[in-house]
Amino acid sequence: MKKNLLSCLTSYVISLISLHAYAQAGEWTWMKGDSTTNSNGVFGTQGVVDSANVPQGLYEACEWKDKLGNFWIYGGLQSGSDPTSNLWKYDPLLNQWAWVKGPGNITDEVPVYGTQGIPDPANTPGARWGIASWIDSSENLWLFGGETDGSTWRNDLWKYSIADNEWTWMKGSNVANSSGIYGTQGVANTTNTPGARSETAANWVDGEYHLWLFGGQGYASNGIDGVMNDVWEYDISTNQWTWVRGATQTNDAGSYGTNGVEDTSNNPHARMIYTKWKDEDGNFWIFSGGDYTNDVYYNDVWRYNPSVNKWTWMSGTNLTNNFGVQDSFCVAGTNLVGPSRFENRCCWVDDCFNFWEFGGARSNQHDSAFNDLWHFNYQDLQWTMIHGSVSINQDGNYGIQGVANINNEPPSRSGSNAWVDDGGNLWMFGGTKIIGDYFNDMWKYVIDPACPLTISCAVTNASPFSSSDTLICEKFCISFFDSSQNNPTAWQWLFEGGTPSSSTDENPVSICYQVPGVYDVTLITTSANGNDTVTLSNFITVYPTPPFPTITQVLYTLSSSPANSYQWQFNTINIPGATNQSYTILQTGYYTVVVGDSNGCKNSTTTYVLISGVDDVSGDGNISIYPNPATDGLMVELLNVPDLVGMGDEISISILNTLGQEIFYSRQKILSIAWKKEIDLHGISSGVYFIEIKSQNIFLKKKIIITK
């Protein structure tokens, strides 16, 4: 489903402030992780978020943000400078991590490629760092290249499906240090591929969801390692790379041309490159980077226009190892710029398409790093220093975890990860101040609309709030995010057609829509100036769920009733490639067909062949569910109630299908130590379901089977 994107208000206000009790504009907050380096992390149970979970200290992992607002990281270096291959997900609303995939504390895992183009649970890109990464329109995570030991570079392209929890090797070689195959400039070809490389995060996604890549360190076409300035475009639909621009050899000197003048002869110097942005017009931007081997670094700003295939040197100097020009905090100027640097992967684009950048390293000894926060207005080309210091190796100040303070400041670092949340706040994770000492701390910065003072952007359909999605299927749940500008102290949300129908939370989560239709959302905020009421008409569209499919069996072949799309599952896990109307059984177990309609809404039916018994998703001696399998009804019984909940506490029961749709919900108070709840299953079709029981102190989840 398409996500509703907030536009900007004048004076850089809308969507950029998400005020919490612990977050004030213009202040850093240490949100998660340790204030010391080289933590071993806490992995917990794979796939389960938990307040205790946190990755180990990591440097130069790669990152993504999904449409639900979750942050993702993969790989990186940990204590001992050993590369890792773990995939993590962070929920900024819950402030919790989940270890999603990978070997845990085992390092140096080698790639398992499998068959190119075929997903498999055993596939893995293996341990690496210095990786390029993208996310496509289908919410698949992509990564390219990286290195494993300082002299081994890769040019393999991988895709990860969040829904299936599987990696697919899509393109490139499974042999390290492969040279690039450039082909004809501007012409796609199945044999084209960028050379093996690392130390590049200059990657963009264009309006057609093609993946773009620039520069890095590794191998071009001549088998000699060095730094590069080539531009590549990858078309997901054809699985083909195109060499678009730049040299086919390493260590190209480039050409600045005239500042501010677009020209076909312009090219940035070949470089390791990390800071990148994309503006409102679809142009790609880079800042700084350099040549690690020769200890040469830049503080120049370049714009690439993909529509005409031209570079423009826009800002900064054409000098190497330049210290730049700084002024007081919150003072903007076209002559200002930070010192030359590299490994400054920590960068953001705000809701007005202006650019932000933090930290980075100053020399190839990795003994000097910055903690300065800068803003760049791409329209008037003015830099503003917002926070931190251009003096190296600052210790920072953590303050109290979860509490914002004007004195809080992250320590100097390079090789960090960065995201912008759905409220417009800037987030940063990990990195290193001195190589070998790796952070696992998570920080949040709330932008102050008064710093810098010159920021402005046009009024275009501004909205005081947003949601994680505006087009959904019935029985699904979404979250809402306040962006009000009146510094509210209280919130009253009204959700027409939603369950619950109202909320007093600042950012309500799990608002479920059970009935198809088009619905309004109203937000009433209370501040020192009184109440403000805003209603967005027809804000949420809820599509109906398609009918339950029917499964027929002829010998060992299962067939579904007609639909727009199909996905067969075995024991609730997607079967790779099983996307036809029929599927031939390979073993005994539960078989599910998930069908989709033209709106992307899905439904499913499960049948089973010679199945015996049902295993819990997560066993727990404090809950009893019987009978299981069930037909017309089942009983839920809590054991050891006094140890779990208090008398009068509320408890909720949900039944979800394998798609995550909530098909039953009940909430009530515990009034007896012998607590039972009978659930009527009439009207619920056969299949595999999950029952969740929640209170303030517990979360229990089990698998159930319903047979008719």
Side-chain angles (χ1 to χ4, degrees):
M1 294 298 167
K2 298 287 187 182
K3 182 177 180 181
N4 180 57
L5 297 179
L6 290 179
S7 300
C8 299
L9 278 178
T10 54
S11 302
Y12 195 66
V13 174
I14 191 69
S15 300
L16 293 181
I17 307 174
S18 179
L19 293 176
H20 299 265
Y22 51 79
Q24 300 297 322
E27 296 179 354
W28 283 103
T29 306
W30 169 37
M31 297 296 297
K32 197 77 173 173
D34 299 298
S35 59
T36 56
T37 57
N38 295 334
S39 168
N40 290 326
V42 176
F43 286 81
T45 302
Q46 197 168 71
V48 179
V49 295
D50 191 278
S51 59
N53 293 350
V54 65
Q56 64 271 64
L58 291 174
Y59 155 77
E60 279 219 50
C62 66
E63 71 285 313
W64 306 268
K65 177 189 170 186
D66 66 29
K67 73 172 184 178
L68 296 179
N70 299 307
F71 307 155
W72 297 74
I73 58 171
Y74 179 84
L77 285 180
Q78 71 160 24
S79 176
S81 295
D82 295 316
T84 68
S85 51
N86 292 304
L87 181 68
W88 288 84
K89 179 178 72 173
Y90 175 79
D91 186 331
L93 293 178
L94 297 178
N95 191 28
Q96 292 184 3
W97 283 100
W99 166 44
V100 178
K101 200 171 180 67
N105 273 317
I106 298 174
T107 57
D108 302 301
E109 182 188 40
V110 299
V112 177
Y113 285 89
T115 303
Q116 195 170 82
I118 304 298
D120 191 282
N123 290 351
T124 175
R128 60 183 71 194
W129 79 92
I131 314 159
S133 56
W134 309 262
I135 187 165
D136 66 24
S137 59
S138 300
E139 291 291 290
N140 298 306
L141 313 182
W142 294 74
L143 66 78
F144 172 83
E147 60 185 292
T148 57
D149 61 7
S151 61
T152 302
W153 292 277
R154 304 257 176 208
N155 74 334
D156 45 359
L157 180 68
W158 289 82
K159 179 178 74 172
Y160 172 77
S161 169
I162 295 176
D164 300 331
N165 192 24
E166 290 180 345
W167 285 103
T168 306
W169 168 39
M170 297 297 296
K171 197 75 174 172
S173 176
N174 57 2
V175 177
N177 296 341
S178 297
S179 297
I181 300 174
Y182 285 76
T184 303
Q185 191 174 40
V187 179
N189 192 289
T190 56
T191 61
N192 291 352
T193 182
R197 69 190 67 196
S198 178
E199 305 291 352
T200 177
N203 38 261
W204 308 268
V205 179
D206 67 19
E208 297 179 340
Y209 281 91
H210 293 181
L211 314 182
W212 292 74
L213 175 72
F214 168 75
Q217 179 186 31
Y219 292 86
S221 65
N222 57 359
I224 300 175
D225 67 277
V227 289
M228 291 167 274
N229 68 349
D230 46 354
V231 177
W232 289 83
E233 177 186 11
Y234 174 77
D235 187 334
I236 295 173
S237 64
T238 63
N239 193 29
Q240 291 183 348
W241 283 104
T242 303
W243 165 47
V244 178
R245 191 166 182 82
T248 62
Q249 311 295 317
T250 55
N251 304 318
D252 183 73
S255 175
Y256 277 88
T258 303
N259 186 258
V261 178
E262 193 172 70
D263 193 275
T264 55
S265 63
N266 294 345
N267 270 308
H269 280 72
R271 64 187 68 192
M272 306 156 67
I273 179 67
Y274 312 87
T275 300
K276 84 287 186 176
W277 305 286
K278 178 182 172 183
D279 68 25
E280 189 173 15
D281 299 318
N283 299 307
F284 307 151
W285 295 69
I286 61 170
F287 167 68
S288 66
D291 181 349
Y292 179 89
T293 302
N294 295 306
D295 211 17
V296 171
Y297 309 105
Y298 308 99
N299 62 351
D300 48 358
V301 178
W302 288 81
R303 182 188 69 194
Y304 174 73
N305 185 340
S307 64
V308 296
N309 192 23
K310 292 180 181 179
W311 282 102
T312 309
W313 168 38
M314 298 296 295
S315 178
T317 73
N318 58 1
L319 305 174
T320 60
N321 299 334
N322 179 261
F323 196 72
V325 178
Q326 297 85 46
D327 204 326
S328 301
F329 292 127
C330 301
V331 175
T334 56
N335 64 318
L336 304 180
V337 67
S340 300
R341 66 191 68 199
F342 75 119
E343 301 218 353
N344 47 334
R345 186 174 185 131
C346 188
C347 59
W348 307 268
V349 178
D350 64 35
D351 284 359
C352 294
F353 295 92
N354 294 312
F355 313 147
W356 297 73
E357 186 264 354
F358 176 87
R362 184 173 172 177
S363 80
N364 62 7
Q365 300 301 310
H366 281 282
D367 58 358
S368 54
F370 301 106
N371 75 336
D372 48 348
L373 177 66
W374 287 82
H375 171 272
F376 179 73
N377 188 320
Y378 81 96
Q379 293 178 320
D380 60 22
L381 305 181
Q382 293 193 94
W383 280 100
T384 306
M385 189 171 172
I386 306 295
H387 222 284
S389 174
V390 293
S391 298
I392 61 172
N393 296 343
Q394 298 295 302
D395 291 332
N397 180 48
Y398 281 82
I400 301 172
Q401 193 171 83
V403 179
N405 190 287
I406 192 63
N407 297 316
N408 290 353
E409 207 160 62
S412 298
R413 66 188 63 203
S414 62
S416 303
N417 301 105
W419 307 267
V420 180
D421 69 22
D422 290 333
N425 304 304
L426 314 182
W427 293 71
M428 177 183 69
F429 169 80
T432 182
K433 182 167 70 171
I434 299 175
I435 199 69
D437 289 334
Y438 305 127
F439 296 103
N440 74 338
D441 48 354
M442 179 72 83
W443 290 81
K444 180 173 76 169
Y445 181 79
V446 179
I447 296 173
D448 184 352
C451 178
L453 295 172
T454 57
I455 301 177
S456 64
C457 53
V459 177
T460 53
N461 300 320
S463 171
F465 58 82
S466 64
S467 62
S468 57
D469 216 334
T470 59
L471 305 175
I472 63 173
C473 304
E474 65 175 303
K475 296 183 172 64
F476 276 95
C477 307
I478 55 178
S479 301
F480 290 82
F481 312 98
D482 172 46
S483 300
S484 303
Q485 304 308 305
N486 58 341
N487 296 325
T489 57
W491 298 261
Q492 177 65 58
W493 295 81
L494 302 176
F495 305 109
E496 181 188 18
T499 304
S501 60
S502 63
S503 175
T504 56
D505 292 340
E506 178 182 359
N507 298 307
V509 299
S510 298
I511 307 302
C512 306
Y513 287 83
Q514 307 293 339
V515 179
V518 180
Y519 299 107
D520 300 346
V521 176
T522 298
L523 173 59
I524 305 170
T525 56
T526 302
S527 68
N529 297 320
N531 295 335
D532 281 339
T533 301
V534 177
T535 298
L536 296 186
S537 300
N538 302 328
F539 187 64
I540 302 296
T541 299
V542 182
Y543 295 116
T545 298
F548 286 105
T550 58
I551 298 176
T552 57
Q553 180 177 352
V554 177
L555 297 178
Y556 293 104
T557 299
L558 301 178
S559 297
S560 169
S561 51
N564 283 58
S565 65
Y566 310 89
Q567 174 63 64
W568 291 90
Q569 299 176 338
F570 176 68
N571 289 344
T572 73
I573 303 299
N574 284 355
I575 304 171
T579 56
N580 297 321
Q581 189 172 357
S582 299
Y583 178 72
T584 301
I585 297 171
L586 300 178
Q587 54 187 313
T588 61
Y590 287 96
Y591 288 89
T592 300
V593 63
V594 180
V595 299
D597 63 12
S598 59
N599 294 320
C601 295
K602 298 180 179 181
N603 210 339
S604 66
T605 295
T606 300
T607 188
Y608 57 97
V609 180
L610 298 179
I611 200 71
S612 58
V614 180
D615 293 330
D616 290 339
V617 172
S618 57
D620 194 299
N622 294 310
I623 180 173
S624 176
I625 299 175
Y626 55 89
N628 190 12
T631 301
D632 298 321
L634 60 78
M635 185 72 71
V636 178
E637 181 177 0
L638 281 185
L639 310 176
N640 304 317
V641 168
D643 297 331
L644 297 176
V645 296
M647 293 299 102
D649 285 358
E650 286 194 336
I651 192 165
S652 66
I653 301 176
S654 300
I655 296 180
L656 295 83
N657 62 19
T658 56
L659 302 176
Q661 291 174 294
E662 187 176 68
I663 54 102
F664 173 86
Y665 178 82
S666 174
R667 187 176 184 89
Q668 57 189 263
K669 291 185 177 181
I670 301 296
L671 300 176
S672 170
I673 61 172
W675 185 86
K676 296 181 180 180
K677 171 69 176 178
E678 186 174 4
I679 300 175
D680 186 356
L681 301 178
H682 289 94
I684 302 178
S685 68
S686 300
V688 178
Y689 296 86
F690 300 96
I691 185 167
E692 294 182 347
I693 300 178
K694 303 177 185 177
S695 75
Q696 185 176 358
N697 300 317
I698 62 172
F699 176 79
L700 305 175
K701 182 175 182 179
K702 289 201 173 188
K703 181 191 294 182
I704 60 174
I705 300 295
I706 299 176
T707 59
K708 299 293 185 179

